[in-house]
Amino acid sequence: MARERPRRPAPWIASPARLRSLARAWRARGERVAFVPTMGYLHDGHLSLVERAARSADRVILSVFVNPLQFEARADLASYPRDLAHDRRLLRGVRVDAVFAPRAATFYAPGHATRVTVAGVGERLEGAFRPGHFAGVATVVTKLLHVVEPDQLWLGQKDAQQVAVLRRMVLDLDFAVDVHVGPTVREADGLAMSSRNARLTARERAQAPVLYVALQAGRASLAARGSAPLARRALAAERAMRAAVACAPLARLDYARLVDPGTFDAPAPGARKGLLVVAARFPSARLIDNLQVPLGSAR
Ligand code: PAF
């Protein structure tokens, strides 16, 4: 059981060495440390991860670091929403023991040249649409895990392919950390919470729930063709998702697919669980979403 602690503002720490020695001191006392990596501009999705982490560990460390390595376009990095005062305010309402906020100029040593790449799952869909993105994510998460040395790594289901890439990396590289995944938190109209939503104009925001509508159309299509071969059901579901996104004039579809949640390849015949994934570009932001679906006794 996680112990109750009074809520006082968590210290914000920029130095990797300071953060590491604080986390090591907690672990030396037998306290389990949970880690929630973020790029800031926090929302209820992040807070729900923090709350879950706080229930399952003794200490929670959250990082706020807009990682330049995972942005393929400079403009995307420059316009990524940032508001540390807003983040500090939101964190007052949850149990966080330390915030690690390294500085980009010093977190990456001058001349840094190492990348962690995850083949296969890291190359499909988001990996193909955003070349270099997952290498940037895997590299920064490797660095963060080396600094924090947590018992638990907490990730959001909203970024399902990131979860699959990092699970693969943790397994392949023997990180001594358990990966935990919190469910997607949605706005009342179904839009998955994301820091990028802040960039949407009012018209784009009104059309953005179309991603969730598309996922539900995909799920309904799969359910309606329960006895058909899986490949045929997948095609019909993908068609249904594409048709739904086409109803939003400001959305340009990148992909709408049924995949295996671990590999992001097509689910094998006989698979019992699948993941519907969708990505669409609005003029001001690119959005992604996903929905776990049972495949029943799919052939
Ligand atoms: O999901 C995010 O916010 C980022 O990709 C992460 C995991 C914090 C790495 O920069």
Side-chain angles (χ1 to χ4, degrees), residues 38-62:
T38 83
M39 295 206 296
Y41 211 74
L42 303 176
H43 50 67
D44 283 353
H46 295 118
L47 299 189
S48 117
L49 276 185
V50 168
E51 279 163 357
R52 283 167 189 274
R55 284 198 295 273
S56 108
D58 302 293
R59 297 286 180 176
V60 179
I61 298 175
L62 174 131

Side-chain angles (χ1 to χ4, degrees), residues 37-39 46 63 65 67 70 80 133 137 140-141 144 155 159 162 166:
T38 83
M39 295 206 296
H46 295 118
S63 65
F65 180 65
N67 172 35
Q70 69 190 77
Y80 194 83
H133 169 67
V137 171
V140 80
V141 173
L144 291 166
L155 301 168
D159 294 305
Q162 173 170 280
L166 293 176

Side-chain angles (χ1 to χ4, degrees), residues 5 9 16 23 29 60 64 73 85 104 112 116 136 171 218-219 227 258-259 271 276 281 286-287 295:
R5 286 187 299 276
R29 295 210 296 256
V60 179
V64 173
H112 69 91
V116 178
L171 184 70
R219 178 170 59 188
S227 56
L258 173 69
V259 297
L276 291 166
R281 278 167 290 125
R286 182 172 178 279
L287 302 182
L295 297 176

Side-chain angles (χ1 to χ4, degrees), residues 21 30 60 79 81-82 121 193 216 275:
S21 66
V60 179
S79 67
R82 298 164 167 88
V121 60
M193 288 194 185
Q216 288 170 306
L275 190 72

